[in-house]
Amino acid sequence: MVERQLRCRAIRDPRVLAAMLEIPREEFVPESGRKHAYADDPAPIGHGQTISQPYMVALMAQCLELKDTDTVLEVGAGCGYHAAVLAALAARVITIELIPELAEMAHQNLEKSGRAGNVLVVCGDGSQGCPELAPFDAISVAAAADDVPVPLLEQLKDPGRMVIPVGSSWEQELRVIRKSNGEVTWHIATFCRFVPLRSP
Ligand code: SAH
């Protein structure tokens, strides 16, 4: 997966490549999907949701330029895989999931794979961020929004970085947002298709 899907597609950050090698994706997909755990695709995790394509997880992590002292907020924990990758790159990860059963699944998967030490799974509406634990050095949003939720921008440190898919339910641009010296700028890393960021 790392050689064929990541290294040849401009994932160059050695820390990101090491994290992708380190976290066993098969431990995060449901039993029925294990044979295809390293396929170049998103995969169903139940409740109409998906585990993201490995390349997308790596690209988002690379765009965040994480340091091992960073605190990261993830919106959309799903099965916990992306949170485990972020946790290998940062000091602490808080991941929010709207669907209680998936929040529980993420927590169990992180525990089983020994990654729960620096990850907190919260069940709730991630479009509001997590004001109690803000601000964050980086924010990674794994569900598509019509626009960047204002609470997330407010909870981003200065300097700070956010990745978020913005657009319709069919296609989104993956925005890389930077806050620096009070200014917010962004560029598009790629185009993508995520499940929607929903309201409770
Ligand atoms: N991070 C996952 C992929 C997540 S899929 C991975 O490891 O690959 C997107 C997730 O976002 C789904 O589980 C969905 O339930 C969740 N989600 C959608 N809207 C949300 C919201 N408002 N707050 C928190 N989670 C949300």
Side-chain angles (χ1 to χ4, degrees), residues 65-192:
E65 298 169 21
L66 296 173
K67 296 191 290 293
D68 58 12
T69 49
D70 284 346
T71 298
V72 184
L73 175 71
E74 187 197 25
V75 176
C79 59
Y81 173 70
H82 199 153
V85 172
L86 295 171
L89 295 164
R92 188 163 185 234
V93 176
I94 293 100
T95 184
I96 310 188
E97 172 56 51
L98 189 63
I99 300 175
E101 291 85 349
L102 290 181
E104 181 55 30
M105 183 203 277
H107 177 69
Q108 298 285 340
N109 284 343
L110 288 158
E111 283 280 351
K112 270 191 266 161
S113 66
R115 295 280 151 187
N118 61 338
V119 186
L120 175 67
V121 182
V122 176
C123 186
D125 177 13
S127 66
Q128 301 307 306
C130 188
E132 305 86 346
L133 299 171
F136 304 100
D137 299 288
I139 300 180
S140 183
V141 183
D146 300 340
D147 208 346
V148 182
V150 173
L152 296 185
L153 266 184
E154 287 172 350
Q155 291 171 33
L156 188 62
K157 272 189 201 172
D158 184 346
R161 285 96 46 215
M162 177 177 358
V163 277
I164 176 167
V166 178
S168 69
S169 50
W170 295 105
E171 194 189 39
Q172 305 103 33
E173 52 195 38
L174 184 69
R175 285 194 197 171
V176 182
I177 299 173
R178 254 170 212 285
K179 199 190 258 189
S180 178
N181 299 317
E183 233 193 300
V184 174
T185 54
W186 58 272
H187 70 272
I188 300 172
T190 189
F191 291 88
C192 52

Side-chain angles (χ1 to χ4, degrees), residues 9-55:
R9 279 196 193 129
I11 303 298
R12 294 281 143 74
D13 183 332
R15 293 187 70 233
V16 171
L17 291 166
M20 296 297 293
L21 270 176
E22 189 183 321
I23 310 296
R25 195 169 183 257
E26 83 264 12
E27 290 182 10
F28 291 82
V29 296
E31 200 83 44
S32 57
R34 258 174 218 169
K35 265 206 297 205
H36 306 292
Y38 294 97
D40 188 17
D41 290 308
I45 55 171
H47 304 273
Q49 307 303 317
T50 52
I51 178 173
S52 302
Q53 179 194 24
Y55 168 67

